[in-house]
Amino acid sequence: MSIVTEDPIVNLDVFEKYESEVRGYSRSFPTVFTKTKGYKLWDTNDNEYIDFFAGAGTLNYGHNNEAMKKLLIEYIENDFITHSLDMATEARGNFLRKFNEIILEPRQLDYKIMFPGPTGTNAVESALKLARKVKKRTNIMSFTNAFHGMTIGSLAITGNASKRAGAGIPLTNSVSMPFDQYISTQASLELIEKYLADDSSGVDLPAAIILETVQGEGGINAASKEWLQGIEKIARKFDILLIVDDIQAGCGRTGTFFSFEYAGIKPDIVTLSKSLGGYGLPMAITLFNRDLDIWEPGEHNGTFRGNNLAFIAATEALSYWENDDFSNDIDKNAQLMHDFTAKVVKEYPALNAESRGRGMMQGVACHVDGIAEEICAEAFERGLLMETSGPKDEVFKFLPPLIIDEAGLKTGFAIIEDSIEAVLEKR
Amino acid sequence: MSIVTEDPIVNLDVFEKYESEVRGYSRSFPTVFTKTKGYKLWDTNDNEYIDFFAGAGTLNYGHNNEAMKKLLIEYIENDFITHSLDMATEARGNFLRKFNEIILEPRQLDYKIMFPGPTGTNAVESALKLARKVKKRTNIMSFTNAFHGMTIGSLAITGNASKRAGAGIPLTNSVSMPFDQYISTQASLELIEKYLADDSSGVDLPAAIILETVQGEGGINAASKEWLQGIEKIARKFDILLIVDDIQAGCGRTGTFFSFEYAGIKPDIVTLSKSLGGYGLPMAITLFNRDLDIWEPGEHNGTFRGNNLAFIAATEALSYWENDDFSNDIDKNAQLMHDFTAKVVKEYPALNAESRGRGMMQGVACHVDGIAEEICAEAFERGLLMETSGPKDEVFKFLPPLIIDEAGLKTGFAIIEDSIEAVLEKR
Amino acid sequence: MSIVTEDPIVNLDVFEKYESEVRGYSRSFPTVFTKTKGYKLWDTNDNEYIDFFAGAGTLNYGHNNEAMKKLLIEYIENDFITHSLDMATEARGNFLRKFNEIILEPRQLDYKIMFPGPTGTNAVESALKLARKVKKRTNIMSFTNAFHGMTIGSLAITGNASKRAGAGIPLTNSVSMPFDQYISTQASLELIEKYLADDSSGVDLPAAIILETVQGEGGINAASKEWLQGIEKIARKFDILLIVDDIQAGCGRTGTFFSFEYAGIKPDIVTLSKSLGGYGLPMAITLFNRDLDIWEPGEHNGTFRGNNLAFIAATEALSYWENDDFSNDIDKNAQLMHDFTAKVVKEYPALNAESRGRGMMQGVACHVDGIAEEICAEAFERGLLMETSGPKDEVFKFLPPLIIDEAGLKTGFAIIEDSIEAVLEKR
Amino acid sequence: MSIVTEDPIVNLDVFEKYESEVRGYSRSFPTVFTKTKGYKLWDTNDNEYIDFFAGAGTLNYGHNNEAMKKLLIEYIENDFITHSLDMATEARGNFLRKFNEIILEPRQLDYKIMFPGPTGTNAVESALKLARKVKKRTNIMSFTNAFHGMTIGSLAITGNASKRAGAGIPLTNSVSMPFDQYISTQASLELIEKYLADDSSGVDLPAAIILETVQGEGGINAASKEWLQGIEKIARKFDILLIVDDIQAGCGRTGTFFSFEYAGIKPDIVTLSKSLGGYGLPMAITLFNRDLDIWEPGEHNGTFRGNNLAFIAATEALSYWENDDFSNDIDKNAQLMHDFTAKVVKEYPALNAESRGRGMMQGVACHVDGIAEEICAEAFERGLLMETSGPKDEVFKFLPPLIIDEAGLKTGFAIIEDSIEAVLEKR
């Protein structure tokens, strides 16, 4: 282990002593991780963990994917360019070409591709800027329980109150509408349409509506086809751009490359990040209809738009999408997950629970205060990484790497059942 | 070249066809780059370029630094964890420990370290949030010609008008004061103090003053010791936090690790990114006095706070700072650069030029419209990457990797002189 | 007429030539008015008009009320102080004492009285400032179709899109919720409660909820008791201040002095203006619970807080409230108005209309584009002042002076019926 | 006194008991006023006061001016229309015609006239809205120590920190530049020009520059001709509208009707209120170049735009401007005031004072903490109303009615000298 630390002992004290109190996951998963592969991780004490967390959806292709790994090593060994801002490089050019060929063309999406900086919030900020520039309007419509990022522009369209309070300034130029099922599908659509049609509603005509088709941080709330189609229709009717933030739900998480494919809608702007980089390397893109590309050169920039290692891995990741095999595998896994959440809901009435989600982005919402967090803590003790989501952390959610196999899922499910039982017993 | 592209031909058409009009550097440097080493790059036509640009200050240790390269390959080969959000990992822990030991302790800086997301603008946004949270004030004082990032919070304290216009919304909760020498050192300090002392100035007491000690994008404007000390004094007097954005000028660019060391000031908050990651990999940290660490767990988060490849390279980069050798080398290079800019100013009066900068962040400001851009374009033709900065792109700036040698610098200087002569001849 | 004009001829050309295009009512009622009394006006051509408009609710006690008129003349003749800022004057002191004695005490309202400047929007702005100061929160919850004024603070909580657009800047720190019946009473209350109870709704906890019990400009939308009580309950539950903007619906317009009395609620803050001044003279007050009075001296000020002529008339107007006679008269008139709107709805199905309103603030909403405006124009031709309201000007509204008698109402009704018939015939 | 109070006893307890803590002048001048005439007031104890305050500049023509008084009584007696919103009335039409004839035409000002609501802040808000609408920009440039009003739009361009804090929200879309002499005339102009010429200054191009030619609340700071001309030149150069807020300094206060006449500048927009109404009645207008009149009908409105009593008095007040006599009288008084302030500065070195102001808007700035307030308090005891201004209340200011005679001024001056001596003795 000499390459990581001169001295093998890095323990949690180091983090407590030097790292800011803002750290989060090192509290939820209190150990020091060292190695990983596929859907497993190991800590410095050689404990093994199954990963139902996947870097909050960043590791759809598993940890340290072999094919990507080889290409990365070869790329590095050969001294190909690593950091390039937005200069033209072979790695970037190849990604552009392949992304168009494998992802966009077959889906008849004539999108231009923008590299807005390598994180999700960079992509979201660029999408909002472009929408406002195109429509010459300042307001953005977002939804209850939305999560779009931590920089001021993205935070203004994020629902979470404590994260919003972190801004230290009022968050403006946004309006939060009820997501699908927040009241009801129909009531949400009707309210939004009424607000927009009414010249006296007090809701300024937005430049764009931004949504996640499945709200990951907000509680694994999956929007119905009907609602998504309804929102698209409203956007068209009132000349509003539709932005799908596909940072967590995209890249195959729900079974198709884009999460919105199942509803048959065509957003004007799409943001991608997290699993886009394939290997967990920082990368993000913003996609938009060709006729929206009114950016001035350099109008939005950033230092790490040329993370070529990510381009190499991201390009390799596209090979998963050359035929339907991967989608079919995801569907099978999703069915197993669905069966399991249904079973949990049925067999543990004490959780007062309901199933949530779509594809391989599922969870169980427990209407018993604090119980989901306890279950996750128990699961960690038993070797499973799993986190909660939702406004009250009421959902324990399953976000395993998409490449997980049936055995992996079942081991995870067994740990969860044990954990539930342990928690219920203690209470 | 098969690992990068199935087919070796990636040409500029690919970028024009698929990438957004927002792309910038692929226009300034119109070729497709493939390999790099140290202070050199090569394009797909095997043309060689000397790098006086260094990823806008991200490649202080050169392209594909050998020591880091070996560690990266070893780390990847051994399947150590790559992506970890803000979970505890050996690589992160080791970085924390070493950064404290090599950088903070010797400089008697008792800073906590925050991982705010891997880009500069993430670090800046986190710094602003923390300052506002600590001081319970909303206003931030920044400076003319400042550049702090493209997300809404950072953009509000950035000077550039066209980038600001890209926001599409008014940028608020900030006030732009004259930087050192904008009027004069003394006049700047007096005006700021007068505004703050006056209860009727219309300038709301800020939570923080944020500054770059050398404004890179704004025109290579180097603040004097006197001004920096004056600003620190004002910050203390009015109970305002002092933030140094050391993203471009830090990590040795001016000769010391932090650019503010030479003025003997101690900022309350410091942002680092760009060369911090050592190898050009996305990474950023925010440093702040221990008593400011009032963050709630998870109050600011982000997906790519655990870019462990960057931690490995960043930790290795710290070895440059274990003794004074590297600083001394930088000083020598800086002197060569200084001599050269002085020579240019003197020998080419037609440029109507002046020297700018400090350390290895220098440039020549030409008071002839458009000439600096022409010189950069000529230099590119002759095999040198160099960019302009300043509100009117009036400065051609030298930002070579710090590890460049005298031969490299002299070759670059010769190209610049040739380019100047070519431009002057054409005009 | 020599006192008004040296030369009697002031015609509409004067207004077109010298007054801004922003003028409105001189277009709806295209004549030059000269004299008035009670519920009648006369123009320079001696045409007589019945007033169903009452200065948009400012002339509840009729034009040029005799008792007030005498006192005003006597006050002026005796050189009592006219303009006094917020110095103590007899007239102001007497108003304070009487307002407390006649209005507040009998209703067990222990409100402090603030003079915020003499217009409604001054009162609203002061209410918002106080609420934000008390609660240390920035957000204000208002409602669809609300109208609170034209200055930036008030405009941010006003629904009308074209008036909002007039701001020229984004209107911030406010959220617009569905008013009673916008969706349904229950759905409105449930949505608001859900938004507030949910820590991830994206709706920041407001300092205050501000509402009109009957929305005058927004379409004569009368809130039900159930809804008002529900809103008060929500405000209490979430520690939010409740502000009733009673500028148009207060001062007896709905039968009781305050419009909220019928619902049995007790707002924390109340704004009054329009008919408060009795004679149509500019005056406004802001009332609030004694324990909210944390203002610093002079923290909100204004030049015309001491319009003593208004204090004299306003104090006299309070005599209408010393017993129940006036309220009873209003109720009788309200019943006549109600019967008439019901009749119109029933007898003119071509209007596709519905009755709206409460007390002497009623109207007929016509779901036929443009017809309400045509009816008002016809009515003007026939000697009746009446205006439209609602987002599409779809309501013709009756807002006569409260002191109108049955004969006056019936003459007005007859003109309206003639006008409807004339319009329907033309179409 | 029966017309004011049934019972003659209104004492200060009434105000303490019922009126908000926000009250200010009833604390500075702790007595109950009852009658006034010209430049004198009397309280309920028959104490006489000389008025060097004039309703903060609202009573330029003196209290209860005889000519206006007669017209008001006649107007009321004859039941001419009192309240008319913005309907056409004889009184309004006559004012429009006369204002154009007596004020605008002779000065070659082709302004349209807008009635924005009857207070100064209404006029300022309307001016800002129009400027932003015309220029499609959001920023407004104002100045240190400016005072423009208490509603959110006006407060954002007001300098006073405690008043700004009263907003409870960040005040945005404005930038505060140094007023003339804040640094120096030349330095102010140069800084502003540099900020505007520099595309990277961080100061967004404003829609308008708004200024007071003499800052009344901000410390009787009189702008020089040179600075005013310089500002106008800058406005023209950068296509920015120039707004003069002439609410306090206009209507003859500095000797000419508009305060900006002496500098020979022509603002694009002018706001007037305070003394415009002649008799101290609420009234305000906004004037602007004919080609800026792009308002939509009703885009800005308000209940009290038709205060016809004010129109009658305001029209009569215009007669003061039919020839130069009044201007000449003001100049004579101004000279007496100037001589007196010079004498005070010279003869009372213990005040460490300097003269301030222009026309009949003058004062003495004392650089001894708290002394100006003590002098005003002493003066009140001796029968003189006078208030302080400036960020630290360091100026005692003279703002007598313009119609005051030499005897009145001298009596006032004698009281001030006595007060200064009393204060200096006590200290």
Side-chain angles (χ1 to χ4, degrees), chain D residues 70-121:
Chain D
K70 274 188 192 125
L71 289 168
L72 285 173
I73 291 171
E74 199 181 338
Y75 192 87
I76 296 172
E77 274 176 343
N78 281 283
D79 278 328
F80 288 111
I81 189 166
T82 307
H83 177 276
S84 63
L85 283 148
D86 74 339
M87 301 192 295
T89 69
E90 280 190 300
R92 178 196 302 266
N94 206 38
F95 170 78
L96 285 168
R97 193 163 59 178
K98 291 282 185 163
F99 190 83
N100 187 67
E101 177 190 322
I102 299 171
I103 304 297
L104 299 181
E105 274 191 11
R107 290 166 181 78
Q108 292 166 323
L109 296 167
D110 188 20
Y111 288 151
K112 291 293 281 295
I113 302 169
M114 172 185 183
F115 297 91
T119 74
T121 197

Side-chain angles (χ1 to χ4, degrees), chain A residues 28-42:
Chain A
S28 314
F29 307 131
T31 192
V32 179
F33 293 97
T34 172
K35 293 207 172 188
T36 65
K37 196 75 195 175
Y39 61 83
K40 291 185 184 167
L41 301 93
W42 293 268

Side-chain angles (χ1 to χ4, degrees), chain B residues 143-190:
Chain B
F143 293 96
T144 51
N145 289 296
F147 184 94
H148 297 290
M150 289 294 103
T151 51
I152 294 299
S154 303
L155 197 50
I157 52 169
T158 288
N160 188 283
S162 75
K163 290 196 169 29
R164 289 175 70 85
I169 51 172
L171 295 168
T172 60
N173 293 295
S174 57
V175 59
S176 180
M177 287 288 127
F179 193 70
D180 189 12
Q181 300 300 332
Y182 195 75
I183 32 184
S184 78
T185 300
Q186 212 44 45
S188 162
L189 294 173
E190 278 171 19

Side-chain angles (χ1 to χ4, degrees), chain A residues 251-270:
Chain A
C251 297
R253 177 56 58 184
T254 66
T256 50
F257 184 81
F258 293 112
S259 73
F260 53 79
E261 294 177 43
Y262 100 119
I265 61 173
K266 289 207 179 178
D268 301 288
I269 305 180
V270 181

